Amino acid sequence: MLKPIARSYDRVMRGMEEAGLTEWRAELLAALSGKVLEIGAGTGRSLAMYPPAVTSLTLAEPDRHMRTQLRERVAGQGRAADVIDAPAESLPFADATFDAVVSSLVLCSVRNQAPVLGEVRRVLRPGGHFVFVEHVAAEDRPRRLKWQRRIEPLWRLLAGNCHLTRSTEEAITSAGFEVVAIERASLRGAPPFIRPSIRGSATPIGHR
């Protein structure tokens, strides 16, 4: 039997997906090629958007309930992909394995961003890309940020450890990445305290 959060995830996300999140995902993934890893792949909302140039796709999802739906989606779409049980903090791959790593609404809910980003950097090949879309703290809107801080303790309990006040761009650069493209926008279709978001790509600094 699926956990409630896994069972209802696609339904809860539908408004955001239809309001623009699906388009954002497609834009971010369109230029990827080669060997790609998606961390926290969830129910596989991004699966259909990977281009033919992606020759090897690995989907890591540690939650067994999400993973059940992910495997069903992979089978239903007929897309070749390896679905694995692996937390983003401890990826079972050698250094410099992937041409790209994808994170879609994942860094908000991991226990600690630093070890996750360290693992992403480790498994990326020289010149590889970390591609991300994440909701973040409303740092440019103090009133909304205040509400995010108030709501966050309860929200984390209800939404699988989802944090509302993370400075994810700063965490990415602190982990040794250079952000090469970034857009900040409102995640339409989401409650106001979730709307601030960033999306873009980064490459490891000094990763030769």
Side-chain angles (χ1 to χ4, degrees):
M1 187 174 182
L2 293 177
K3 277 184 178 180
I5 192 170
R7 187 171 58 243
S8 63
Y9 185 79
D10 283 352
R11 185 176 69 252
V12 170
M13 293 295 295
R14 187 174 299 125
M16 286 178 271
E17 295 286 354
E18 293 175 351
L21 181 55
T22 293
E23 183 180 348
W24 290 358
R25 292 181 197 267
E27 289 174 353
L28 286 170
L29 301 180
L32 299 186
S33 62
K35 195 169 184 178
V36 175
L37 166 68
E38 182 175 348
I39 59 172
T43 63
R45 299 293 308 213
S46 299
L47 182 63
M49 302 165 202
Y50 284 99
V54 173
T55 56
S56 172
L57 179 60
T58 301
L59 307 173
E61 175 49 58
D63 184 284
R64 65 186 178 91
H65 303 283
M66 290 284 195
R67 207 164 53 247
T68 295
Q69 295 184 84
L70 178 58
R71 287 197 171 106
E72 290 174 355
R73 181 164 268 153
V74 169
Q77 293 189 7
R79 171 79 199 226
D82 293 324
V83 177
I84 66 166
D85 174 7
E89 296 88 348
S90 182
L91 297 171
F93 306 107
D95 296 359
T97 295
F98 296 97
D99 298 296
V101 177
V102 176
S103 172
S104 178
L105 304 180
V106 173
L107 295 176
C108 60
S109 59
V110 296
R111 183 174 299 177
N112 189 325
Q113 291 181 324
V116 171
L117 292 166
E119 280 289 87
V120 169
R121 189 177 189 279
R122 181 184 68 79
V123 301
L124 273 173
R125 289 175 178 165
H129 290 272
F130 174 46
V131 176
F132 54 88
V133 53
E134 301 286 346
H135 71 87
V136 294
E139 294 176 347
D140 60 340
R141 301 188 66 174
R143 187 175 178 182
R144 182 171 291 182
L145 180 59
K146 183 177 180 180
W147 274 105
Q148 285 180 319
R149 288 172 174 156
R150 286 179 178 176
I151 295 168
E152 187 171 67
L154 177 60
W155 182 252
R156 286 176 58 191
L157 293 174
L158 296 174
N161 199 44
C162 176
H163 293 70
L164 300 173
T165 60
R166 284 187 163 169
S167 300
T168 300
E169 182 182 358
E170 180 180 340
I172 291 170
T173 57
S174 295
F177 288 89
E178 177 185 2
V179 174
V180 295
I182 193 164
E183 293 185 56
R184 298 171 183 83
S186 178
L187 188 55
R188 299 186 302 275
F193 54 87
I194 296 176
R195 288 178 190 166
S197 73
I198 59 172
R199 63 188 188 276
S201 64
T203 58
I205 296 172
H207 206 307
R208 299 288 186 267

